[in-house]
Amino acid sequence: MAPSPDSAVLLDGLGKRFRLTHDRNWTLKATVLAGHRTRYEEFWALRGIDLDIPHGSTFGIIGGNGSGKSTLLKMLAGILRPDEGAATVNGRLSALLELGAGFHPELTGRENVYLNGAILGFTSKEIRRRFDDIVGFAELDRFIDEPVRNYSSGMYVRLGFSVAIHVEPEILLVDEVLAVGDHTFQKRCLDRFAQLKAEGRTIILVSHDLDMVGWLCEQTAWIQQGTLRAVGPSPNVIERFLDGAGDSPTPVAPSPSAPRRFGGLGPDDLVRAVDLVDANGHPMDRVGSGRPVRFRVRVDADQVGEPVTVALGLYRADGTHVASINSGAAARAADEAGTVEVDYAVDSLAVQPGIYELSVALHDATMRRVFERHTHLVRFEVEPTGVDQQNGLVALGGTWSARSVDR
Amino acid sequence: MPLLRLPRSRRDLHAIIPVDLLVNFTLRDLRSKYKRSALGWTWSVLNPLVAVVVYSAVFSVFLRIQPTVGDPSGLHSYAVFLLVTLLPWQFHVTSLTESTRAITANAPLITKIYFPRWVLPTSSVLARFLTLLVEMAVLLILIAVLQGHIAFQWIPVVLVLMLLQLLFTIGLALMISAVNVYFRDVQHFLGVALAPWMFLTPILYPLNMVPADREFLGIGYRTLYQLNPMVSWAKAYRNVLYDLRFPSLERWLAIVAATAVVLALGFRVFNRLEPRMAEEV
């Protein structure tokens, strides 16, 4: 990969090897007795990663559990040393791998701000100048001289986040940290990211939350089993990720032609059923192009126990993303008890005839946490309804007319 | 990063020695040490006090070890004789035992944030060094009271000795804290080794009680005994604070050589073992 002066981060064939020690109790004696014979197995957690992340970009990294995302982030942060290839970082980097990792429980919030700031590479003078901002952002003015062991986990995280973003990094690494904190704080964190982005700083975000990655990041890399599977504009990569692997750690061969009608729901799933129904609630398995339809999702509300947001994704059989809709606050299941039916009523399904697939996801009320995601759960046919010759993605539903303009 | 390179500017100096990080970690160790204990800092005074009382009783009263008479100071007090070496020795012991776990005890930090790791054992030693400074100041006052006047001219010499001991201890702390990541045996070994080490250093008795006329495998007892670098420090501290006399040139050379070798070796070992610390810790 050609080095570019605009690169904030340049990875060239990056690889990391871990040792699996079979006997964890290896001691000095054992090593002396065993001499140089190694008693561990090696495996590559990450290999052959080439990436060029330009300055000022917001870059997402997605992948299943154990795919190597965090290993990659730790190498960028300098915590782990690569065993192969090189990672070049141009600019001051701050890593939010765990908020408040450097806090000492017995010290006060104030003392910890200075300590954590120093760990992140700040001088005490620089911290003193930003101290009020840090405390203000964390909303801890009254508690700053209390030992942090008395803090709630929310307060702890707020202070950690506040210190980390006030060090004014040129490159910010974020690992799944927004999964904590309450809704308003998350909102402010996102605002702060947007602000950092506007200031031209580089943000690298590792997350399971595809919606957030899609919303925040222009470019995304998908890592699977330690190798780079795809990199490019976020919507494309996320789509390939959903098609190819879903949330399972092993890649599933994409087979868009296989019939998967109403299948794929287990007995423990929160989503009980997904149906297409007409205005009277009668199930249908085909819809006329431009005709009304209701997408009905049945959710086991008792099992969730908190308000959920339902999100629907409509895809053409060839994988083209047609539309995504989420219920927002409008139709929150689990405000009720038992099984709840959430309907999304469409007056006119304005798509071209063909085979379509519906994906369903359940989020918490803030849309930051995914409870379940069922990709391409329902397959259905959209029938032609007119005699018009049409092609493309949408059915515009217009009418033709002709009249003479010759006077 | 090569550690022993000369800084070219102030900024460069900060890149090589992260002063603020050292200060903050040292403060953390000092502040958190006696949090939530009723007696707090009294413990650090109580510790040497109890040691002096017990050692004086056992070695001076029961075993009747005679301290040397300070030359030219004329001092003849087992307590002072003991304290001038015991305080630096206790610094040595607690620095090493506390810094052994400096890396392993900070595992959550090491696996989440990058910063120069050598700061951890170093600041742990520094925190203990500040306590030593206070203890030595109290000792100087005690000696001044016994002497009837304050020996100001010896203060810089003591400070130089202490500074050299600090560097020597940092070198050792770097070594053992790094090796302890890979072999937890180190912390247990240290617990076993420190007690004999103390008895093989002239702290409780004068050096001249070690027989000079006996040999082991053709090497004199006294010669073997002096291979222990702590002997030089004990002797030098006793020269300066008890005898009120400048240590001999050989003594200084031995001390400087030991410090240079151990410090260089400490950084070498540490830098070699640092890359995989976050995985092994």
Side-chain angles (χ1 to χ4, degrees):
Chain A
M1 183 169 284
S4 146
D6 300 329
S7 297
V9 172
L10 189 71
L11 307 182
D12 187 15
L14 201 67
K16 180 71 196 171
R17 191 173 48 200
F18 282 120
R19 291 169 181 177
L20 291 178
T21 13
H22 295 302
D23 179 13
R24 256 329 276 173
N25 295 324
W26 58 313
T27 57
L28 194 60
K29 184 179 140 205
T31 303
V32 170
L33 291 179
H36 271 290
R37 274 179 293 132
T38 46
R39 298 216 31 189
Y40 48 80
E41 225 179 83
E42 291 184 331
F43 83 102
W44 289 90
L46 210 61
R47 202 160 196 192
I49 305 289
D50 293 316
L51 272 182
D52 186 351
I53 302 176
H55 270 297
S57 66
T58 309
F59 198 91
I61 297 173
I62 57 173
N65 288 329
S67 57
K69 304 185 301 283
S70 294
T71 303
L72 176 61
L73 217 56
K74 283 188 176 181
M75 277 196 283
L76 293 181
I79 297 164
L80 295 177
R81 204 71 59 98
D83 289 308
E84 225 179 50
T88 319
V89 176
N90 300 313
R92 179 152 155 168
L93 180 144
S94 174
L96 292 181
L97 299 190
E98 189 181 301
L99 294 174
F103 286 172
H104 190 291
E106 294 296 336
L107 300 185
T108 67
R110 181 185 302 274
E111 289 163 344
N112 270 307
V113 166
Y114 282 93
L115 175 63
N116 215 13
I119 294 171
L120 295 171
F122 248 156
T123 65
S124 300
K125 216 165 90 188
E126 288 170 305
I127 291 279
R128 208 166 299 130
R129 225 173 33 232
R130 292 164 180 84
F131 188 80
D132 291 338
D133 290 344
I134 292 172
V135 177
F137 187 87
E139 295 174 328
L140 285 172
D141 309 69
R142 281 174 54 218
F143 306 102
I144 198 65
D145 289 312
E146 283 286 312
V148 299
R149 75 182 141 82
N150 293 340
Y151 282 18
S152 70
S153 53
M155 290 158 79
Y156 199 88
V157 162
R158 289 206 306 266
L159 193 62
F161 184 83
S162 188
V163 175
I165 55 163
H166 281 88
V167 300
E168 288 166 17
E170 289 162 79
I171 303 160
L172 185 67
L173 301 183
V174 188
D175 187 8
E176 214 60 86
V177 289
L178 290 174
V180 286
D182 62 16
H183 186 41
T184 37
F185 186 70
Q186 284 179 353
K187 169 103 180 43
R188 288 176 45 229
C189 294
L190 290 174
D191 288 347
R192 179 73 193 182
F193 282 154
Q195 190 189 333
L196 289 171
K197 195 173 159 178
E199 286 168 13
R201 299 179 199 276
T202 312
I203 301 173
I204 300 172
L205 177 75
V206 168
S207 185
H208 286 291
D209 189 337
L210 300 175
D211 296 315
M212 186 160 80
V213 171
W215 180 70
L216 210 60
C217 305
E218 299 122 31
Q219 299 268 314
T220 294
W222 165 24
I223 290 174
Q224 181 84 45
Q225 289 179 327
T227 55
L228 196 62
R229 286 287 298 270
V231 59
S234 298
N236 302 0
V237 175
I238 289 172
E239 202 167 295
R240 279 192 57 189
F241 171 72
L242 289 175
D243 283 345
D247 292 327
S248 66
T250 45
V252 181
S255 51
S257 57
R260 274 176 292 169
R261 170 178 285 194
F262 299 105
L265 284 177
D268 295 331
D269 284 336
L270 300 174
V271 175
R272 302 304 316 147
V274 179
D275 292 297
L276 272 64
V277 296
D278 63 17
N280 301 320
H282 297 305
M284 49 207 280
D285 55 5
R286 55 189 60 195
V287 190
S289 173
R291 295 289 153 82
V293 65
R294 279 167 182 264
F295 298 102
R296 174 163 291 173
V297 182
R298 292 164 73 91
V299 178
D300 186 345
D302 283 342
Q303 209 184 316
V304 192
E306 64 173 287
V308 293
T309 308
V310 178
L312 299 175
L314 185 63
Y315 295 84
R316 229 163 54 178
D318 66 359
T320 307
H321 185 186
V322 180
S324 282
I325 323 100
N326 77 64
S327 65
R332 274 185 194 152
D335 287 346
E336 328 272 328
T339 304
V340 176
E341 278 181 2
V342 180
D343 276 10
Y344 179 61
V346 182
D347 291 338
S348 151
L349 190 65
V351 293
Q352 291 289 339
I355 303 295
Y356 287 84
E357 290 177 336
L358 198 62
S359 296
V360 179
L362 284 188
H363 301 260
D364 69 348
T366 64
M367 289 294 288
R368 292 284 151 251
R369 204 144 51 91
V370 184
F371 292 127
E372 271 179 34
R373 192 191 301 279
H374 302 281
T375 55
H376 308 284
L377 187 61
V378 178
R379 215 158 199 274
F380 62 95
E381 191 186 340
V382 175
E383 297 176 316
T385 42
V387 288
D388 301 338
Q389 292 290 324
Q390 290 197 18
N391 230 326
L393 261 183
V394 297
L396 296 174
T399 45
W400 291 101
S401 62
R403 61 199 149 88
S404 169
V405 290
D406 259 336
R407 264 178 291 176
Chain B
M1 184 172 44
L3 244 149
L4 297 169
R5 99 187 139 83
L6 290 174
R8 268 175 244 103
S9 67
R10 218 184 118 89
R11 207 178 162 74
D12 209 18
L13 176 76
H14 270 260
I16 299 171
I17 302 174
V19 181
D20 287 281
L21 194 55
L22 274 170
V23 169
N24 272 289
F25 271 122
T26 305
L27 285 178
R28 178 189 77 162
D29 283 2
L30 282 175
R31 281 168 177 159
S32 60
K33 188 166 185 184
Y34 292 113
K35 281 274 165 87
R36 285 212 265 180
S37 79
L39 290 181
W41 282 97
T42 321
W43 283 114
S44 58
V45 182
L46 229 53
N47 188 9
L49 210 67
V50 171
V52 167
V53 171
V54 173
Y55 286 139
S56 297
V58 174
F59 292 93
S60 177
V61 182
F62 306 167
L63 295 176
R64 296 186 195 185
I65 288 176
Q66 282 297 306
T68 51
V69 178
D71 173 26
S73 70
L75 269 174
H76 191 74
S77 149
Y78 186 78
V80 177
F81 174 85
L82 176 64
L83 269 174
V84 297
T85 50
L86 185 66
L87 293 182
W89 175 261
Q90 286 190 330
F91 161 72
H92 180 73
V93 170
T94 44
S95 293
L96 294 190
T97 42
E98 279 164 25
S99 59
T100 318
R101 291 179 187 80
I103 303 291
T104 48
N106 284 299
L109 199 51
I110 281 172
T111 53
K112 298 293 176 197
I113 308 179
Y114 180 75
F115 57 92
R117 275 71 167 96
W118 63 270
V119 166
L120 286 171
T122 305
S123 58
S124 160
V125 174
L126 278 174
R128 181 58 182 86
F129 187 72
L130 292 180
T131 325
L132 177 67
L133 276 176
V134 176
E135 291 170 353
M136 292 300 265
V138 176
L139 179 62
L140 280 174
I141 293 168
L142 181 72
I143 294 168
V145 169
L146 290 174
Q147 279 289 12
H149 64 91
I150 302 173
F152 282 114
Q153 69 272 31
W154 296 112
I155 293 176
V157 185
V158 178
L159 283 177
V160 170
L161 260 183
M162 287 169 69
L163 214 63
L164 284 167
Q165 197 195 348
L166 171 67
L167 296 177
F168 177 80
T169 312
I170 288 173
L172 277 180
L174 286 172
M175 250 183 275
I176 59 179
S177 63
V179 176
N180 193 47
V181 173
Y182 299 85
F183 305 103
R184 302 295 152 99
D185 306 68
V186 173
Q187 60 199 50
H188 304 296
F189 170 78
L190 208 63
V192 175
L194 283 169
W197 197 355
M198 176 176 177
F199 286 106
L200 291 174
T201 306
I203 293 164
L204 300 163
Y205 52 86
L207 178 59
N208 62 25
M209 286 185 79
V210 178
D213 53 350
R214 282 209 238 159
E215 288 187 347
F216 178 76
L217 298 174
I219 313 163
Y221 268 23
R222 187 77 66 88
T223 318
L224 270 177
Y225 185 86
Q226 304 222 31
L227 289 177
N228 169 12
M230 292 311 287
V231 172
S232 298
W233 262 286
K235 200 61 193 145
Y237 276 115
R238 200 160 273 158
N239 279 160
V240 178
L241 289 169
Y242 189 74
D243 302 333
L244 299 186
R245 157 155 74 89
F246 202 75
S248 66
L249 183 65
E250 298 98 84
R251 207 56 87 202
W252 281 111
L253 284 177
I255 284 175
V256 171
T259 304
V261 168
V262 168
L263 190 64
L265 200 67
F267 271 110
R268 222 187 127 82
V269 168
F270 197 87
N271 287 344
R272 275 285 293 278
L273 296 179
E274 189 184 350
R276 281 192 176 268
M277 261 178 203
E279 292 161 49
E280 301 284 348
V281 73

